[in-house]
Amino acid sequence: MYQDISKKINQPIILLGYMGSGKTSIGKKISKILKIKFHDLDKLIENKFNKTLNKIFLDQGEINFRKEERALLENILNKKKIFVLSLGGGTPCYFDNIDFILKKTDLTIFLKPEIKQLSKKLFKKKSKRPIIKDVKTEKKMIEFVSKHMMERIHYYNKAKYHIIYDLNDKMEACNKIIDLLNKNCS
């Protein structure tokens, strides 16, 4: 069944959404199911500089980080290959990245877990995330994520498909994506 879907896919599958929304873990599962390559834009940047995102942000600042991110995004999407790509949470929101992405593929998927669930997850792992590392309480995290999501939602909503799912059930999201691909790649 999955092989049939894989053969129908003729463009990259792009996963976007807020940080912590499962883009990488879901992307890996989807690529494994479909037997196509997986790329994580944040990992590509870390590998290029041999540093963590936190360190790159500290050393180079966000603007330089975003320029590198854009260059890598262009590089990978201009290759005209089939793969799953998970973006960084801010990637669609800078320069004209989202419009560039939409010109390269119709298979753009906004992963959209519930904000309280997402905030709770992020609070536990905040030390690894440059923009939230100083948030002091779960309540403040919910406020931060809600406000930040409002600023970014315009970009995320440009994705062709939106997947609402339980953050604790990534297979639910995978199944929804496979179903979506099955319906839309015929």
Side-chain angles (χ1 to χ4, degrees):
M1 178 186 143
Y2 296 137
Q3 264 57 20
D4 294 340
I5 299 167
S6 294
K7 291 174 186 168
K8 296 176 188 176
I9 296 169
N10 62 1
Q11 55 192 320
I13 299 166
I14 309 294
L15 302 179
L16 58 102
Y18 200 72
M19 68 178 139
S21 63
K23 299 177 298 287
T24 298
S25 55
I26 292 167
K28 285 178 180 177
K29 287 180 192 310
I30 293 297
S31 73
K32 191 173 184 178
I33 289 168
L34 298 177
K35 293 183 172 51
I36 59 177
K37 251 188 165 330
F38 171 75
H39 300 286
D40 179 306
L41 194 59
D42 285 346
K43 274 285 172 234
L44 292 173
I45 294 168
E46 286 182 339
N47 291 343
K48 180 177 178 178
F49 290 95
N50 201 25
K51 296 178 186 180
T52 65
L53 291 182
N54 270 345
K55 189 81 171 115
I56 297 166
F57 262 70
L58 284 172
D59 293 350
Q60 298 189 9
E62 187 173 9
I63 295 300
N64 287 325
F65 169 81
R66 296 297 176 192
K67 287 178 182 175
E68 289 294 336
E69 180 180 60
R70 173 56 187 241
L72 282 169
L73 182 65
E74 285 180 15
N75 186 26
I76 195 162
L77 287 179
N78 282 332
K79 290 184 177 174
K80 307 247 189 275
K81 292 188 178 177
I82 310 307
F83 50 82
V84 177
L85 174 66
S86 70
L87 302 179
T91 306
C93 311
Y94 287 85
F95 310 112
D96 65 339
N97 288 351
I98 190 64
D99 296 323
F100 174 73
I101 293 163
L102 293 170
K103 286 178 187 165
K104 296 293 182 179
T105 183
D106 286 330
L107 300 179
T108 52
I109 303 168
F110 172 22
L111 297 177
K112 193 175 177 183
E114 194 268 327
I115 286 188
K116 284 184 183 172
Q117 195 180 40
L118 178 59
S119 298
K120 191 172 192 147
K121 174 190 173 189
L122 287 171
F123 188 74
K124 291 176 185 171
K125 298 180 177 185
K126 67 181 187 163
S127 64
K128 297 179 180 180
R129 309 275 184 170
I131 66 171
I132 59 169
K133 65 180 175 16
D134 297 326
V135 177
K136 302 290 184 218
T137 65
E138 274 189 43
K139 184 179 181 211
K140 292 283 184 195
M141 185 65 75
I142 292 169
E143 290 170 14
F144 179 88
V145 171
S146 297
K147 180 183 178 295
H148 209 218
M149 183 69 89
M150 246 180 15
E151 294 167 0
R152 291 180 168 190
I153 198 74
H154 164 74
Y155 301 98
Y156 296 157
N157 278 338
K158 286 187 174 188
K160 186 166 185 178
Y161 305 104
H162 298 198
I163 300 289
I164 297 169
Y165 73 102
D166 181 337
L167 197 53
N168 296 317
D169 187 359
K170 300 227 170 69
M171 273 317 292
E172 174 193 5
C174 290
N175 290 333
K176 286 182 175 185
I177 291 169
I178 295 297
D179 193 42
L180 177 148
L181 293 170
N182 205 20
K183 289 177 185 168
N184 294 287
C185 292
S186 28

